[in-house]
Amino acid sequence: MAFFYRDFTKFNNFNGQTVLAVLHTHLLVLGTAVFLFIALLYKMTDLEHNRLYKYFYPIYNISFGLMIIMMTVRGVLQVKAVELSHGMDAMISGMAGLSHIGIMIAVLLLLFGIKKRIVKIKDIVDVFLFCVQAIPFEKV
C-alpha cells in the first residue's frame, strides 16, 4: 500500500493530505501486530477453544477488510479530487464508521475471551514475561 500511495499521488501530481497516507500503518498494525499478539496468546492459553474467540475472528476479518476498502476508496477520491454529493460522502463515512465499530466489538470479544482464560495474576505475569522474552534485545 505504501507503494500504491507514493506512486498514485506522484502520478496524479497530488501534494495534499489523503487517507492513503495512513492506510499502510493501519494494515501493518491491525493486520500484522494484532495477529502476532494472538499467536503469543495461543502459545500461553487454549484460546482456540474459546467461544468468544470464535466470534472474534470472523467479525474482525470482515470489519478489517471493509475498513481497508473504504479507506482506499476515500483516499483515491481525495487524490482524484472527486466532488461527492452529501449522501455519497455520508455513505463512505458511515461504512468506514461501521467497520471501525466492528473492529472494536471484535477486540472487546478477544479481550473478554482472554480474561476468561487468564484468571490468575501469575498467568498475567507469565504472559508478560513471555512477551518480553520474545523481543530480541541487542546487548550494548
Side-chain angles (χ1 to χ4, degrees):
M1 285 314 297
F3 173 77
F4 174 73
Y5 162 67
R6 186 192 66 208
D7 286 346
F8 187 69
T9 54
K10 188 187 330 178
F11 179 74
N12 289 289
N13 295 322
F14 183 81
N15 294 321
Q17 291 285 79
T18 177
V19 175
L20 292 176
V22 296
L23 185 58
H24 186 255
T25 308
H26 277 71
L27 281 167
L28 181 66
V29 172
L30 295 174
T32 304
V34 168
F35 287 104
L36 288 174
F37 175 68
I38 291 172
L40 290 173
L41 291 173
Y42 257 65
K43 181 80 171 163
M44 300 300 295
T45 66
D46 59 345
L47 191 61
E48 66 273 8
H49 301 297
N50 187 308
R51 184 176 55 88
L52 292 176
Y53 177 75
K54 290 180 181 176
Y55 290 121
F56 156 79
Y57 201 75
I59 292 171
Y60 186 85
N61 284 315
I62 290 168
S63 299
F64 181 64
L66 180 62
M67 182 187 67
I68 295 304
I69 289 168
M70 296 316 295
M71 288 179 74
T72 304
V73 167
R74 172 70 72 189
V76 167
L77 292 174
Q78 287 172 337
V79 170
K80 290 291 197 177
V82 175
E83 289 293 324
L84 297 173
S85 67
H86 178 70
M88 184 65 77
D89 187 49
M91 190 255 334
I92 292 171
S93 296
M95 294 296 286
L98 288 174
S99 67
H100 280 79
I101 290 169
I103 287 177
M104 192 65 228
I105 290 170
V107 168
L108 287 173
L109 287 170
L110 177 66
L111 293 176
F112 286 130
I114 294 167
K115 183 182 175 202
K116 280 184 149 185
R117 296 296 178 199
I118 303 175
V119 292
K120 299 180 221 163
I121 191 71
K122 181 187 175 302
D123 291 339
I124 295 171
V125 171
D126 288 344
V127 169
F128 176 74
L129 291 175
F130 181 80
C131 292
V132 169
Q133 290 172 355
I135 300 171
F137 291 106
E138 292 183 26
K139 294 182 180 179
V140 180

